[in-house]
Amino acid sequence: MGDRVLSDLFAPSRVAVVGATESEGSIGRAIVTNLRDDFDGETVPVNPNYDEVFGLDCYPDLASAPDVDLAVVVVPPHIAVDVVRGAGETGVENVVVITAGFGETGSEGAARERELQEVAEEYDINLVGPNSLGVMSTPLGLNATFGPENALPGSMSFMSQSGAFITAVLDWANDEGLGFKDVVSLGNKAVLDETDFVRAWGDDPDTDVILAYLEGVEDGGEFISSAREATDDTPIVMVKSGRTDAGAQAVSSHTGTLAGSDRAYEAGLEQAGVLRVDNVQELFDFAQILAGQPLPEKDDVAIVTNAGGPGVMTTDAVGDSTLSLASFSEETLSALSDALPEEANIYNPIDTIGDADIDRFAEAVDVALADENVGCAVVLSAPTAVLGYQELAEVIGELQEKHGKPVAAAMMGGERTEGAKEILRESGIPNYFDPARAVRSLDALATFRDISGREYEEPTRFEVDQERAREILSRAKDRGDNRLGVEAMDLLSAYGIPTPEGAIAETPEDAVSAAQDIEGEVVMKIVSPDILHKSDIGGVKVGVENEDVYDAYEDLVTRARNYQPDATILGVQVQEMVNLDSGTETIIGMNRDPQFGPLLLFGLGGIFVEIIEDTTFRVAPVSEREAEEMVNDIETAPLLRGARGRDPADVGSIVESIQRLSQLVTDFPAILELDVNPLVATPDGVQAIDIRLTVDTDEL
Amino acid sequence: MGDRVLSDLFAPSRVAVVGATESEGSIGRAIVTNLRDDFDGETVPVNPNYDEVFGLDCYPDLASAPDVDLAVVVVPPHIAVDVVRGAGETGVENVVVITAGFGETGSEGAARERELQEVAEEYDINLVGPNSLGVMSTPLGLNATFGPENALPGSMSFMSQSGAFITAVLDWANDEGLGFKDVVSLGNKAVLDETDFVRAWGDDPDTDVILAYLEGVEDGGEFISSAREATDDTPIVMVKSGRTDAGAQAVSSHTGTLAGSDRAYEAGLEQAGVLRVDNVQELFDFAQILAGQPLPEKDDVAIVTNAGGPGVMTTDAVGDSTLSLASFSEETLSALSDALPEEANIYNPIDTIGDADIDRFAEAVDVALADENVGCAVVLSAPTAVLGYQELAEVIGELQEKHGKPVAAAMMGGERTEGAKEILRESGIPNYFDPARAVRSLDALATFRDISGREYEEPTRFEVDQERAREILSRAKDRGDNRLGVEAMDLLSAYGIPTPEGAIAETPEDAVSAAQDIEGEVVMKIVSPDILHKSDIGGVKVGVENEDVYDAYEDLVTRARNYQPDATILGVQVQEMVNLDSGTETIIGMNRDPQFGPLLLFGLGGIFVEIIEDTTFRVAPVSEREAEEMVNDIETAPLLRGARGRDPADVGSIVESIQRLSQLVTDFPAILELDVNPLVATPDGVQAIDIRLTVDTDEL
């Protein structure tokens, strides 16, 4: 989608329902009913079979109806495309296609969906669906869905690729008193997708938090850039399902689309600033606190409780989070010491003990929130005879407002918390039985503070020799091969990634002459696209003296021929000796994800990648900061920083190589996979020792 | 605690409340009221100030009251010990001390607590507390607590080190309709502790699940053996708080006790068969399903749903768990294909699609549960117009009973799930909004199936030279030193852990003669308790030829003297050369935990232990299976098994060395810490190259 304005979709004055009917159990009836019940604007039924639907004038088609801002289409699939075309012709800008039987049902449906896309494009229609439950927007009471529930008003906007999930969530949210601004069932995302709604809600002053349930992202790059912008001030909390292998398979059979790798989603969503959660509970826990509470200026949590045991559990939860337990100032300690009995604990977690009444409890919360070392607080209570939960809820709300710091509550209990929860909700304070959830929610606030504070940094563009790189890549095409090996080392030098001195010799004589250009002994490797594991067949010779180069050449070629008589042999690489002992082997690489494009990898070589899988990923292009983060992310990073008496590696050169690789794979979409393994990092810099890549020759 | 019989504590005929009163807001009043309201037996108030309390005859002391089975003590702390002594004198076998002001309050209280222990021991009293909320047992309606709520009847028995947590849980559980058999507030655990209740409830036919909130375990070894026995058929689900550093500190300030290391708890609780959970929600999720559902015979889950999206989320949760998605038999697929419309998905997760009515949904669940490839099922639904949740709940209950396989439900929604949840609960089937919780709960069932099925294996006792080991340890004592180094290598040989050939020479001549006994070159190391890092001061010489041994001896001693003139020098170790290149360096070690005793460590040496902390722990003594598990547990285990073209190490010898070390540290409680680093593992066996240990000389 380009630059469509979506605000009208959620704020129409007049809505047509094409396929309106009074027929029992039908979707058309459900939508007209939902609109009639709550919508502040005008509802226009369209159906050639009726003159009137629920007492409203019914029109045979959109052309004969009064002008509408939004058409909801519930006609059978075989006429749906024509109806949408008709909408386009009469100038309807927003269409929601409820009708199913498109891309999700096989090749006929897929063809129909492509037609629908073409029509939407031709008439520049904002089209939701097909196969959608519909859309809602509470400010106007718009419920253009066929679901059984309407949303309560609120400031969370919610998109879902599953209509059933919306139905389930609304039934629950209404019970809990949680409200929404807009709700969209994305359906098949033929036209409008997650990126469009992130843009629209990112600009919407009435949306405080964006919630998403997605099974896939259509265009990873577009999504990252729109989400990056939105999350400057609007948090996005997302369940991206199909995380696991089994889940990804379930997504494929459910939506008929190929899921990208979850590590691409993990990297891309993080770079986009999305708060990704794994389950429904955290989706709403995080969304609620983000909608209701300010962001903490500090990560230091104060815990105030009337019960020691739950205080310990809460402290454990802080230990599990990125937050830390606040250390109180002397002033706070002395104030607490005055306010609390001797048996109380004035250190964090503050235990006002079991006989604390509302005044003592409130005093402790007030003093804690006033401490400038405190960034946020968990107010935790067990039921006692002397503490009224509703009174406590009121006081917490007042104190939160007084100090302007975020607060989460864990008033433990069942029936006793009723009433109190509602009072807290009025103040935007969530309440949990399990204090661990309170802490995780505060942690999400702190994470979003960091996300919203981050400055987007443009990737550095290095001076490179793009022409030479193109030429090297074309060699593969000329050879009719899509794999390249050491013969493509120059690709790296063209992009400024250091490689050892060397050349590829096609005759023993060339090899001798190449070796003479290099100081000292050389390494010689057979160059053949058919021989992947050179060492295994004796295709690598290390420490070859000048006088032995001629024989070594012939020997390597003989070994290759013996191993595979019909192998294509491109020659022998003659390379400067690199002392691997003084360096650390790293790997930088890339593979192209169907949704997110080039996914960069970094890790330490050998066992670290293969056995403990200590690797990190980012979607290219990466900025300098992101490349630095990659190097710091891995668990074995201390080995590069000089752990265990090693000389520290030149990390700056690794970071630069990652950025240069990022530029290379961004410049050449033809590169499908690329591994530089090893990239040896020494105190003086890096050197790429070997390369392997796969290209899409059609893209060259 | 020894072998007290606790059944009477929970099933008294007559209960005395010492300190009974009608005084408003008092604990004595609360307890008498709670007993009077529900207790099937007789309640006897004791208080010299009253003749009658709430119309019941009140006695001045226990001696003058009729015989009681249980005395609840709520008198002030300074007379509590005397009251308990009086109880002992009149033959009361069970006492609950509610009174606070003991070990939790400082030295005076601690002295009082010791007195209480002595009295309980003298009269062999089952004593709960002090500083306890009390005890409950629902079969007799016994509520001997001062909490505001009584428990509903059920089959979960619950112990908690926090009284406030019990109050909070009961308020919530009553609201949710969850019931208990016994509830105990452990208080300070002066006499009865977690081990006693694990024993009692493990033997109690009315307790199906044991729940525990603990901040510490009094005696780790005793707890492991009692829990091991109980978990043959009764699951134990536990929150052990103070997991994190911050949490452990909070425990110390809350209970005044020193917390053992969490890695000891992690290892010990796992060995004990305890299902350890991190938060309140999982405590009750797991307990409920364990109380209500049978154990699955297989780990294969069937998911049946009317909503694709939530089906994917559930599949992800299966991917996160130790369970797997069931593959259906041909028969099942064909039955589903007959029963479901074309658009449905007959593969797992089965999607009956949004218009599924009760019959279609039930048929799918029935067919899935009948498949012999299916071990358990998640029934998942989103609200639709055609599906009644209560009807579905009834059908699920019937089908669960018919097939005898465990089922968890995720009927998503809010108000709509009311009624249905209660129906499911009647069948022992838990319901969750979040399907991930349903999957985790089934996973807990499968884990408990494995726990209950494991046969306890006695640790192997190897033939060792215990006398020689004792003699070596005594050397430290004689030297007045608590640290030993290479001079204690023979400790390992005494316990059959292979060490290189060698001896400690005290003169250059001795060194020459020792070297002559060894074939080939030797390694020489300075032996001094004052020099910990021998290599750093040049205190190690490798590859010394026979003719250089004399000079090498003198050189090493000179270096040591130069480094530290007053160092105690015990001599020079002359050792056979071990080729480290052909082997993998591992570490085996032990440190003694205050609660669990000897905690064994295993890991690979060097960066693996130091940078990526790839280690595993078990409480000694370990069986052969446990030692094997240690070797398999570490992430880098493939390196021992021959990954990346290495020769596989002799894992059997590593496993045996762990068991022999286990025996050594169990035989000698005087050993506080011990590290064998490295223990080099080659294809032919292992060799311990260096050792360092700390001993408690008072224990020798």
Side-chain angles (χ1 to χ4, degrees):
Chain A
M1 282 294 305
D3 306 296
R4 297 163 203 266
V5 175
L6 283 189
S7 38
D8 285 356
L9 171 64
F10 295 113
S13 309
R14 199 179 285 129
V15 178
V17 180
V18 190
T21 166
E22 290 181 19
S23 162
E24 271 310 332
S26 73
I27 291 179
R29 176 191 171 106
I31 293 177
V32 175
T33 315
N34 281 338
L35 282 168
R36 190 197 53 183
D37 287 353
D38 297 303
F39 183 39
D40 292 347
E42 192 181 336
T43 304
V44 180
V46 174
N47 193 330
N49 304 321
Y50 307 113
D51 291 333
E52 219 177 55
V53 172
F54 289 118
L56 300 166
D57 285 343
C58 184
Y59 300 85
D61 50 34
L62 282 168
S64 50
D67 284 354
V68 300
D69 313 293
L70 169 63
V72 183
V73 178
V74 285
V75 300
H78 65 278
I79 58 165
V81 177
D82 286 339
V83 166
V84 175
R85 185 175 293 114
E89 284 164 356
T90 53
V92 180
E93 288 178 6
N94 303 288
V95 173
V96 176
V97 182
I98 306 285
T99 312
F102 287 80
E104 81 281 10
T105 57
S107 60
E108 197 189 330
R112 194 178 286 142
E113 190 158 315
R114 278 191 300 276
E115 257 189 279
L116 194 64
Q117 282 167 328
E118 282 159 19
V119 171
E121 178 133 348
E122 188 182 343
Y123 295 99
D124 197 20
I125 297 172
N126 289 324
L127 186 145
V128 174
N131 191 19
S132 163
L133 180 79
V135 300
M136 290 179 176
S137 187
T138 56
L140 284 179
L142 176 75
N143 178 1
T145 75
F146 62 95
E149 304 272 350
N150 199 356
L152 296 175
S155 67
M156 307 192 288
S157 285
F158 175 35
M159 63 176 113
S160 171
Q161 216 172 325
S162 160
F165 187 53
I166 292 179
T167 317
V169 160
L170 289 180
D171 191 50
W172 166 82
N174 290 347
D175 214 32
E176 294 280 312
L178 298 181
F180 295 85
K181 157 77 178 18
D182 301 330
V183 177
V184 165
S185 163
L186 294 169
N188 294 2
K189 306 193 284 192
V191 178
L192 293 175
D193 64 26
E194 50 284 339
T195 300
D196 301 292
F197 292 102
V198 162
R199 284 213 187 96
W201 290 334
D203 291 337
D204 175 11
D206 298 328
T207 292
D208 288 338
V209 187
I210 300 172
L211 279 85
Y213 166 80
L214 295 179
E215 295 178 356
V217 161
E218 296 303 300
D219 181 327
E222 282 287 301
F223 182 80
I224 289 177
S225 62
S226 65
R228 231 173 215 154
E229 213 167 295
T231 53
D232 273 351
D233 46 24
T234 311
I236 304 174
V237 193
M238 183 189 294
V239 169
K240 157 64 185 76
S241 71
R243 278 180 295 115
T244 61
D245 290 346
Q249 226 174 330
V251 165
S252 298
S253 73
H254 178 220
T255 64
T257 55
L258 186 72
S261 78
D262 196 65
R263 54 174 55 139
Y265 277 102
E266 197 63 37
L269 296 179
E270 204 281 328
Q271 286 171 268
V274 168
L275 291 167
R276 184 180 183 181
V277 297
D278 286 344
N279 54 60
V280 183
Q281 183 174 286
E282 282 194 338
L283 183 68
F284 285 93
D285 280 358
F286 291 5
Q288 273 177 78
I289 201 162
L290 283 159
Q293 290 293 294
L295 300 177
E297 279 176 28
K298 292 181 171 184
D299 286 349
D300 308 83
V301 191
I303 301 169
V304 187
T305 182
N306 65 347
V312 176
M313 280 188 260
T314 313
T315 308
D316 274 336
V318 172
D320 289 337
S321 75
T322 71
L323 305 173
S324 53
L325 215 57
S327 292
F328 298 137
S329 69
E330 283 306 318
E331 214 180 329
T332 300
L333 292 174
S334 111
L336 288 172
S337 177
D338 290 346
L340 302 181
E342 211 185 325
E343 313 91 275
N345 184 29
I346 58 168
Y347 299 94
N348 208 359
I350 303 170
D351 186 355
T352 62
I353 67 174
D355 62 354
D357 58 11
I358 183 70
D359 292 336
R360 191 200 293 170
F361 208 125
E363 173 93 31
V365 174
D366 194 15
V367 168
L369 282 173
D371 191 319
E372 59 179 20
N373 296 339
V374 169
C376 54
V378 176
V379 178
L380 175 72
S381 59
T384 68
V386 288
L387 190 70
Y389 268 20
Q390 300 201 11
E391 224 175 350
L392 181 60
E394 268 158 27
V395 166
I396 295 173
E398 285 158 20
L399 291 173
Q400 189 281 316
E401 208 179 323
K402 172 177 170 193
H403 295 284
K405 295 177 182 176
V407 171
M411 295 192 183
M412 301 176 91
E415 211 178 346
R416 196 174 287 252
T417 62
E418 298 307 328
K421 279 199 289 193
E422 284 70 52
I423 296 168
L424 287 170
R425 194 180 305 130
E426 293 293 308
S427 312
I429 298 172
N431 186 60
Y432 310 96
F433 182 92
D434 189 341
R437 285 170 64 193
V439 173
R440 281 198 298 267
S441 299
L442 289 173
D443 199 10
L445 278 184
T447 305
F448 182 68
R449 176 204 60 212
D450 293 344
I451 288 169
S452 66
R454 70 191 186 192
E455 289 284 324
Y456 176 62
E457 195 182 79
E458 283 293 334
T460 311
R461 290 288 306 175
F462 296 92
E463 289 240 5
V464 296
D465 190 343
Q466 201 168 340
E467 270 322 297
R468 194 157 137 246
R470 189 182 312 281
E471 192 189 308
I472 296 162
L473 290 171
S474 303
R475 279 185 218 155
K477 184 172 183 167
D478 298 344
R479 248 188 12 241
D481 199 342
N482 63 348
R483 290 165 306 150
L484 292 171
V486 281
E487 70 274 17
M489 285 293 280
D490 286 353
L491 194 60
L492 299 176
S493 3
Y495 267 70
I497 297 172
T499 56
E501 216 179 317
I504 293 175
E506 294 178 18
T507 65
E509 292 79 10
D510 282 359
V512 170
S513 125
Q516 277 161 350
D517 294 344
I518 296 167
E519 207 182 315
E521 302 170 348
V522 296
V523 181
M524 295 175 66
K525 295 178 194 167
I526 193 77
V527 181
S528 163
D530 299 317
I531 298 171
L532 288 179
H533 298 285
K534 297 184 279 282
S535 308
D536 295 356
I537 64 146
V540 178
K541 283 175 183 266
V542 175
V544 184
E545 304 272 4
N546 271 6
E547 61 266 32
D548 300 327
V549 168
Y550 194 101
D551 290 348
Y553 184 100
E554 298 209 308
D555 193 25
L556 287 170
V557 171
T558 308
R559 286 181 189 180
R561 289 254 174 272
N562 288 345
Y563 169 69
Q564 192 178 324
D566 61 348
T568 301
I569 291 173
L570 302 175
V572 168
Q573 189 197 36
V574 181
Q575 204 180 46
E576 175 193 358
M577 284 281 283
V578 174
N579 183 0
L580 297 179
D581 291 345
S582 73
T584 304
E585 293 189 24
T586 72
I587 295 181
I588 59 177
M590 184 279 302
N591 72 65
R592 207 164 282 274
D593 183 80
Q595 273 81 37
F596 283 92
L599 185 67
L600 301 176
L601 162 150
F602 173 71
L604 294 203
I607 48 167
F608 298 106
V609 162
E610 290 177 28
I611 309 285
I612 63 175
E613 295 179 23
D614 183 20
T615 49
T616 181
F617 297 87
R618 291 292 184 289
V619 175
V622 293
S623 65
E624 185 178 356
R625 196 192 54 220
E626 287 172 323
E628 268 168 13
E629 282 170 4
M630 288 185 79
V631 177
N632 292 331
D633 262 6
I634 58 169
E635 222 184 330
T636 42
L639 292 179
L640 294 171
R641 304 275 179 196
R644 284 180 61 84
R646 289 167 178 240
D647 290 326
D650 177 2
V651 170
S653 294
I654 303 175
V655 170
E656 187 175 320
S657 299
I658 293 172
Q659 292 169 266
R660 288 177 178 273
L661 180 71
S662 164
Q663 184 170 341
L664 173 64
V665 300
T666 309
D667 287 350
F668 292 98
I671 303 176
L672 299 178
E673 276 186 293
L674 187 157
D675 272 319
V676 178
N677 181 10
L679 176 81
V680 174
T682 68
D684 308 316
V686 295
Q687 281 204 305
I689 306 296
D690 205 350
I691 185 176
R692 205 183 292 172
L693 66 156
T694 312
V695 293
D696 178 349
T697 49
D698 294 340
E699 284 264 346
L700 283 167
Chain B
M1 280 292 307
D3 307 296
R4 297 163 203 268
V5 175
L6 284 189
S7 37
D8 285 356
L9 173 64
F10 296 112
S13 308
R14 198 180 284 127
V15 177
V17 180
V18 189
T21 166
E22 291 182 18
S23 163
E24 269 314 330
S26 74
I27 291 178
R29 176 190 170 106
I31 294 176
V32 175
T33 314
N34 281 339
L35 282 168
R36 189 197 53 181
D37 288 351
D38 298 301
F39 184 39
D40 292 347
E42 193 181 335
T43 303
V44 181
V46 174
N47 193 329
N49 303 322
Y50 307 112
D51 292 333
E52 219 176 58
V53 172
F54 288 118
L56 299 166
D57 285 343
C58 184
Y59 301 85
D61 50 34
L62 283 167
S64 50
D67 284 353
V68 300
D69 313 292
L70 169 62
V72 183
V73 177
V74 285
V75 300
H78 65 277
I79 58 166
V81 177
D82 285 338
V83 166
V84 174
R85 186 176 290 111
E89 283 165 357
T90 53
V92 180
E93 289 177 5
N94 303 289
V95 172
V96 176
V97 182
I98 305 286
T99 311
F102 288 81
E104 81 282 10
T105 56
S107 61
E108 196 188 329
R112 194 178 287 141
E113 190 158 315
R114 278 191 299 276
E115 256 189 279
L116 194 64
Q117 283 167 326
E118 282 158 17
V119 171
E121 179 133 350
E122 188 181 344
Y123 295 99
D124 197 20
I125 296 172
N126 289 324
L127 187 143
V128 175
N131 190 21
S132 163
L133 179 81
V135 300
M136 291 180 177
S137 187
T138 56
L140 283 178
L142 175 75
N143 178 1
T145 76
F146 62 95
E149 305 272 350
N150 200 355
L152 297 174
S155 68
M156 306 191 290
S157 285
F158 175 34
M159 63 176 111
S160 171
Q161 216 172 324
S162 160
F165 186 52
I166 293 179
T167 317
V169 161
L170 288 180
D171 190 51
W172 166 83
N174 289 349
D175 213 33
E176 293 280 311
L178 298 181
F180 296 86
K181 178 9 187 73
D182 299 331
V183 177
V184 165
S185 163
L186 294 169
N188 293 3
K189 305 192 285 192
V191 179
L192 293 175
D193 65 26
E194 51 284 338
T195 300
D196 301 292
F197 292 102
V198 162
R199 282 212 188 97
W201 289 334
D203 292 337
D204 175 11
D206 298 328
T207 292
D208 288 338
V209 187
I210 299 171
L211 278 85
Y213 167 80
L214 295 180
E215 295 178 356
V217 161
E218 296 304 300
D219 181 328
E222 281 287 301
F223 182 80
I224 290 177
S225 62
S226 66
R228 232 173 215 154
E229 213 167 295
T231 53
D232 273 350
D233 47 23
T234 310
I236 303 174
V237 193
M238 183 189 293
V239 169
K240 155 64 185 76
S241 70
R243 279 180 294 116
T244 61
D245 290 346
Q249 226 175 332
V251 164
S252 297
S253 74
H254 178 218
T255 64
T257 56
L258 186 72
S261 77
D262 196 65
R263 54 175 52 144
Y265 277 102
E266 197 64 35
L269 296 179
E270 204 281 329
Q271 287 172 270
V274 168
L275 291 165
R276 182 179 184 181
V277 296
D278 286 345
N279 54 59
V280 183
Q281 183 175 287
E282 282 195 338
L283 183 68
F284 285 92
D285 279 359
F286 291 5
Q288 272 177 79
I289 201 162
L290 283 159
Q293 291 292 293
L295 301 177
E297 280 176 26
K298 291 182 170 180
D299 286 349
D300 308 83
V301 191
I303 301 169
V304 187
T305 182
N306 65 348
V312 176
M313 279 187 259
T314 313
T315 308
D316 274 335
V318 172
D320 289 336
S321 76
T322 70
L323 305 173
S324 53
L325 214 58
S327 292
F328 297 137
S329 68
E330 283 306 317
E331 215 179 328
T332 299
L333 292 174
S334 111
L336 288 171
S337 177
D338 290 348
L340 302 181
E342 212 187 324
E343 313 90 275
N345 184 29
I346 59 169
Y347 299 95
N348 210 358
I350 303 171
D351 186 355
T352 62
I353 67 174
D355 62 353
D357 59 11
I358 184 71
D359 292 337
R360 190 200 293 171
F361 207 126
E363 172 92 30
V365 174
D366 194 15
V367 169
L369 283 173
D371 191 320
E372 60 179 17
N373 296 339
V374 169
C376 54
V378 177
V379 178
L380 176 71
S381 59
T384 68
V386 288
L387 190 71
Y389 268 20
Q390 299 202 13
E391 225 175 349
L392 182 61
E394 268 158 27
V395 166
I396 295 172
E398 286 158 20
L399 290 173
Q400 189 281 318
E401 208 179 324
K402 173 179 167 190
H403 295 284
K405 295 176 182 176
V407 172
M411 295 193 181
M412 300 175 90
E415 212 179 347
R416 196 174 286 252
T417 63
E418 297 308 327
K421 279 199 289 194
E422 284 70 50
I423 295 167
L424 286 170
R425 195 181 302 130
E426 293 293 308
S427 311
I429 298 172
N431 186 61
Y432 310 96
F433 183 91
D434 189 342
R437 285 170 64 193
V439 173
R440 281 198 297 268
S441 299
L442 289 173
D443 200 12
L445 278 184
T447 304
F448 182 67
R449 175 204 61 213
D450 293 344
I451 289 169
S452 65
R454 69 191 187 192
E455 289 284 325
Y456 175 62
E457 195 182 77
E458 283 293 335
T460 310
R461 290 289 306 176
F462 297 93
E463 288 239 7
V464 297
D465 191 344
Q466 202 168 339
E467 269 324 294
R468 194 157 137 247
R470 189 182 314 280
E471 192 189 306
I472 295 163
L473 289 171
S474 304
R475 279 186 219 152
K477 183 170 184 169
D478 299 345
R479 249 189 10 242
D481 199 341
N482 63 348
R483 290 164 306 150
L484 292 172
V486 281
E487 71 274 17
M489 285 294 280
D490 286 353
L491 193 61
L492 299 176
S493 3
Y495 267 69
I497 296 173
T499 55
E501 217 180 317
I504 292 174
E506 294 178 18
T507 65
E509 292 79 9
D510 281 358
V512 170
S513 125
Q516 277 161 352
D517 293 341
I518 295 168
E519 209 182 313
E521 301 170 348
V522 295
V523 180
M524 295 175 67
K525 296 179 195 168
I526 193 78
V527 181
S528 164
D530 299 317
I531 298 171
L532 287 178
H533 299 283
K534 297 184 279 283
S535 308
D536 295 356
I537 63 144
V540 178
K541 283 175 183 267
V542 175
V544 185
E545 305 272 5
N546 271 4
E547 61 265 34
D548 301 329
V549 168
Y550 194 101
D551 290 349
Y553 184 100
E554 298 208 308
D555 193 24
L556 287 170
V557 171
T558 308
R559 287 181 187 180
R561 290 251 173 276
N562 288 346
Y563 169 71
Q564 192 178 327
D566 61 348
T568 303
I569 292 174
L570 302 175
V572 168
Q573 189 197 35
V574 181
Q575 205 180 45
E576 176 194 357
M577 285 281 283
V578 173
N579 183 359
L580 296 179
D581 291 344
S582 74
T584 304
E585 293 190 24
T586 72
I587 295 180
I588 59 177
M590 185 278 303
N591 73 65
R592 208 164 281 277
D593 183 81
Q595 273 81 36
F596 284 91
L599 185 66
L600 300 176
L601 162 149
F602 173 71
L604 294 203
I607 47 166
F608 298 105
V609 163
E610 290 177 30
I611 309 284
I612 62 175
E613 295 178 25
D614 183 20
T615 49
T616 181
F617 298 87
R618 290 291 184 289
V619 175
V622 293
S623 65
E624 186 179 353
R625 195 192 56 218
E626 287 172 323
E628 269 169 12
E629 281 170 5
M630 289 184 79
V631 178
N632 292 331
D633 262 6
I634 58 169
E635 223 183 329
T636 41
L639 292 179
L640 294 171
R641 304 277 178 193
R644 286 180 59 86
R646 288 164 178 245
D647 289 325
D650 177 2
V651 171
S653 294
I654 303 175
V655 170
E656 187 174 319
S657 299
I658 292 172
Q659 292 169 267
R660 287 177 179 274
L661 180 70
S662 164
Q663 184 170 340
L664 173 65
V665 299
T666 309
D667 287 350
F668 293 99
I671 303 177
L672 299 179
E673 276 185 293
L674 188 158
D675 272 318
V676 178
N677 181 11
L679 176 81
V680 174
T682 68
D684 308 315
V686 295
Q687 280 204 307
I689 306 296
D690 205 350
I691 185 175
R692 205 182 290 172
L693 65 158
T694 312
V695 293
D696 178 352
T697 49
D698 294 340
E699 284 266 344
L700 283 167

